[in-house]
């Protein structure tokens, strides 16, 4: 019976058939919170929504829901504000999707090398043994909320997707060829995942009146000083003086923890002990 439950979870995620309740279980929150976020999005797009309608959600929608829930729970934004940021930050959810639902580029030497192995996972984020909910410095992206209103997107300067492609390529080669040089290169690349990352930070918008107002075209107008992020000399001083308070939300961690629970995998809080997977019968409500 347990195997059937876990299989149905994987199928629901793979086929974009996650229900409101499935998402709530994966986020460990009440389904009413998920429906409130969805209804807010529906009003923004002038599309009718009702809790009586059995809605189904694909991976990117689930990632946006995870972002909204994390901004509400961690950054303290009102739920409508958190929903507005998640809905308006399409570039962030798209970037997260490339890692959470990693696919090698088409028409490349990587594409199709292991067609018998669906769902490549170069960072091993969804392996049963990778249950601890801790950051991955080389890949994780953040939404920083300054003074409760300005939203910044912070991510590693080196594109995590490029790193994932390289890991996928080397992993595939090392499995097919017993070549120590490739294996050593693969292990060396894996060791970089926890090294401190050089981040870039960009202002992407402002929360006002329960709405998210996207930043102007970054190539056309100047943005607040924090846009350039931590740097050297004057840039670092400007960053430090540009806000009185700031909360950082690891949206990558929120997204992958949500997907692990959606797949029936455990998520372990490094400070609070081992958490059970949804299939083990525990659902914590916030």
């Amino acid at each position: 019976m347990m195997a059937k439950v876990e299989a149905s979870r994987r199928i629901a995620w793979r086929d974009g058939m996650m229900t409101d309740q499935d998402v709530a279980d994966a986020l460990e929150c009440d389904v009413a919170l998920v429906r409130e976020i969805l209804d807010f999005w529906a009003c923004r797009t002038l599309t009718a929504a009702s809790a009586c309608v059995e809605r189904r959600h694909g991976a990117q929608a689930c990632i946006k829901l995870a972002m909204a829930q994390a901004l509400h729970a961690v950054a303290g934004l009102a739920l409508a504000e958190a929903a507005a940021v998640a809905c308006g930050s399409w570039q962030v959810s798209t970037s997260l999707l490339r890692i959470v639902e990693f696919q090698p580029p088409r028409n490349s030497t990587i594409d199709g090398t292991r067609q018998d192995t669906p769902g490549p996972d170069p960072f091993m984020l969804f392996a049963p043994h990778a249950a601890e909910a801790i950051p991955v410095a080389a890949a994780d992206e953040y939404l920083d909320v300054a003074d409760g209103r300005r939203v910044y997107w912070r991510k590693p300067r080196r594109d995590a997707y490029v790193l994932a492609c390289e890991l996928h390529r080397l992993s595939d080669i090392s499995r097919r060829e017993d070549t120590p040089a490739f294996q050593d290169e693969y292990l060396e690349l894996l060791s970089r995942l926890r090294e401190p990352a050089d981040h870039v930070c960009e202002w992407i918008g402002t929360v006002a009146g329960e709405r998210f107002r996207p930043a102007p075209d970054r190539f056309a107008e100047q943005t607040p000083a924090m846009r350039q992020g931590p740097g050297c000399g004057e840039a670092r001083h400007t960053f430090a003086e540009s806000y009185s308070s700031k909360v950082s939300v690891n949206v990558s961690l929120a997204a992958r923890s949500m997907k692990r629970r959606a797949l029936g995998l455990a998520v372990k809080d490094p400070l609070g002990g081992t958490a059970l997977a949804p299939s083990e019968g525990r659902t914590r409500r916030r």
Side-chain angles (χ1 to χ4, degrees):
M1 178 63 71
M2 191 69 68
K4 289 183 178 180
V5 171
E6 292 176 356
S8 67
R9 288 180 183 276
R10 293 189 180 93
I11 292 170
W13 177 272
R14 183 196 66 195
D15 294 345
M17 298 295 287
M18 294 281 288
T19 66
D20 294 357
Q21 186 64 61
D22 290 337
V23 175
D25 290 343
L27 293 177
E28 294 192 317
C29 68
D30 194 90
V31 70
L33 184 145
V34 171
R35 287 173 176 159
E36 190 173 345
I37 295 171
L38 292 167
D39 288 344
F40 177 86
W41 290 348
C43 291
R44 298 282 75 79
T45 57
L46 303 180
T47 302
S50 169
C52 298
V53 176
E54 189 68 13
R55 291 167 288 200
R56 304 285 177 168
H57 312 289
Q60 188 159 15
C62 289
I63 287 172
K64 289 165 62 179
L65 286 162
M67 289 170 55
Q69 193 268 349
L71 287 165
H72 175 62
V74 179
L77 293 182
L79 192 60
E81 294 173 341
V85 173
C87 185
S89 304
W90 62 267
Q91 67 273 55
V92 181
S93 60
T94 299
S95 181
L96 297 179
L97 185 69
R98 294 200 305 163
I99 300 302
V100 173
E101 293 290 284
F102 175 79
Q103 290 297 328
R106 296 183 180 277
N107 303 319
S108 73
T109 56
I110 306 174
D111 186 36
T113 53
R114 295 272 308 175
Q115 292 184 6
D116 61 316
T117 307
D121 182 18
F123 292 134
M124 295 182 285
L125 301 174
F126 307 106
H129 65 272
E132 196 166 41
I134 57 177
V136 179
D140 282 2
E141 302 180 22
Y142 296 79
L143 286 180
D144 295 342
V145 181
D147 296 330
R149 60 187 184 88
R150 294 198 308 276
V151 182
Y152 299 86
W153 180 18
R154 182 161 53 89
K155 59 180 179 176
R157 187 177 300 275
R158 180 178 181 183
D159 190 341
Y161 179 74
V162 174
L163 177 59
C165 289
E166 187 65 5
L167 281 169
H168 179 66
R169 180 184 69 85
L170 290 171
S171 174
D172 182 74
I173 292 174
S174 65
R175 280 194 296 262
R176 289 187 288 108
E177 301 178 19
D178 187 16
T179 307
F182 284 119
Q183 294 171 359
D184 291 344
E185 187 179 358
Y186 174 64
L187 292 174
E188 192 276 333
L189 201 60
L190 278 177
S191 70
R192 297 182 195 171
L193 297 183
R194 296 290 167 81
E195 294 177 357
D198 178 22
H199 281 183
V200 293
C201 187
E202 180 181 350
W203 174 53
I204 60 172
T206 302
V207 176
E210 296 189 345
R211 292 177 178 271
F212 178 65
R213 304 183 185 280
D217 187 334
R218 66 182 183 275
F219 297 111
E221 300 183 38
Q222 290 295 319
T223 57
M226 187 176 173
R227 172 192 169 206
Q228 299 301 327
C232 299
E234 291 300 320
R236 180 170 297 178
H237 177 74
T238 302
F239 177 87
E241 296 297 325
S242 63
Y243 58 87
S244 60
S245 65
K246 177 174 72 71
V247 179
S248 294
V249 179
N250 187 332
V251 287
S252 295
L253 184 57
R256 68 172 172 268
S257 294
M258 175 269 305
K259 180 178 177 179
R260 284 188 63 87
R261 294 190 192 98
L263 297 179
L265 300 170
V267 178
K268 179 181 177 182
D269 182 346
L271 301 178
T274 302
L276 301 179
S279 59
E280 295 175 275
R282 185 180 73 99
T283 302
R284 185 179 65 200
R285 302 295 187 190
R286 280 193 178 92

